[in-house]
Amino acid sequence: LKSFEYFHLGSNKSFHLVKKIGKISILAGDTIDIPFSAWLMGKAYVAIPSMSLSDPDELKLIIRHEIQHHRQRDTLWIHFMAILKIFFFFNPAIYVWEKLMSEVQEFACDEALVDHGNVSAYGSCLLRVAETARGTRAVLVGTTCMAVSPSGSFLKRRIHHMLNVKTKRYLGKSFIALIGVVGVTVMATITWASQ
């Protein structure tokens, strides 16, 4: 818990351990507005706003969503992207790739949760989190959250995808990752050749 607070921007923020699910610590805090997951110092965390504790059904959906990010290794991917941005900060392609990957990760989480439960309950939960996220600034380091982009267009795409998930599976994650890896290799080769 101390390492989590240390790496979280604004280390004076306090979190309380609610539960442990396997190796993942579920934390609640009064000073956060949106749930998020993080992998720091070899430990996995899910942080939820304390106000979410009052609705058990929504809480279950939020925790499932954030744990899915850990299952997909999205929280590790964020650290990988941060390292790449140190070396390729000048290249706009790295930011486009990061945005695409974060969107694909959210689609994959949505798909996993829709397979396990009620689409309308999850959709309502997603809308509430996105609504809350509109008024907050993302200042979290090494984290991924349920409302990766609170923009209306992306939210519409997510809901549309959830409604059609039974007939069309989302297969873009591997493809976009492959394109990104090829792109980074090309950037590194060009940088090396220019020297």
Side-chain angles (χ1 to χ4, degrees):
L1 193 58
K2 284 182 182 175
S3 64
F4 183 85
E5 290 180 4
Y6 178 76
F7 277 92
H8 190 280
L9 285 182
S11 57
N12 60 340
K13 296 185 177 183
S14 59
F15 295 89
H16 308 285
L17 182 64
V18 175
K19 187 178 185 179
K20 282 197 79 138
I21 300 175
K23 294 181 179 179
I24 302 172
S25 298
I26 311 296
L27 309 172
D30 295 323
T31 53
I32 58 170
D33 297 316
I34 54 173
F36 63 91
S37 51
W39 184 84
L40 300 164
M41 302 293 285
K43 295 182 179 178
Y45 299 97
V46 167
I48 53 173
S50 294
M51 60 186 173
S52 298
L53 297 171
S54 61
D55 186 341
D57 295 331
E58 185 170 297
L59 178 64
K60 192 183 293 184
L61 290 171
I62 288 170
I63 290 173
R64 278 186 180 166
H65 179 98
E66 297 305 330
I67 286 176
Q68 187 63 30
H69 278 302
H70 285 295
R71 285 193 182 122
Q72 295 173 180
R73 304 286 189 256
D74 297 342
T75 49
L76 296 176
W77 180 263
I78 285 176
H79 291 285
F80 174 67
M81 287 302 298
I83 292 166
L84 286 181
K85 285 195 287 185
I86 291 169
F87 295 103
F88 302 107
F89 65 90
F90 52 86
N91 193 318
I94 202 79
Y95 302 99
V96 173
W97 185 34
E98 179 185 36
K99 182 177 183 290
L100 283 172
M101 278 305 292
S102 63
E103 289 184 358
V104 169
Q105 288 165 355
E106 290 303 317
F107 279 126
C109 279
D110 295 344
E111 192 173 284
L113 264 77
V114 167
D115 282 349
H116 285 94
N118 191 332
V119 177
S120 61
Y122 180 67
S124 300
C125 176
L126 193 62
L127 284 169
R128 277 191 291 278
V129 171
E131 199 173 86
T132 304
R134 289 179 68 183
T136 63
R137 240 173 5 121
V139 291
L140 305 171
V141 176
T143 65
T144 184
C145 69
M146 197 168 183
V148 66
S149 169
S151 69
S153 61
F154 181 55
L155 191 59
K156 281 179 192 172
R157 281 171 44 217
R158 285 176 75 178
I159 291 171
H160 177 73
H161 175 72
M162 280 190 291
L163 295 173
N164 296 300
V165 78
K166 299 282 185 197
T167 56
K168 182 182 174 185
R169 306 296 294 180
Y170 199 82
L171 301 173
K173 187 174 181 179
S174 301
F175 181 68
I176 291 175
L178 178 63
I179 288 174
V181 169
V182 171
V184 167
T185 305
V186 170
M187 285 188 283
T189 305
I190 291 169
T191 304
W192 176 77
S194 67
Q195 292 175 355

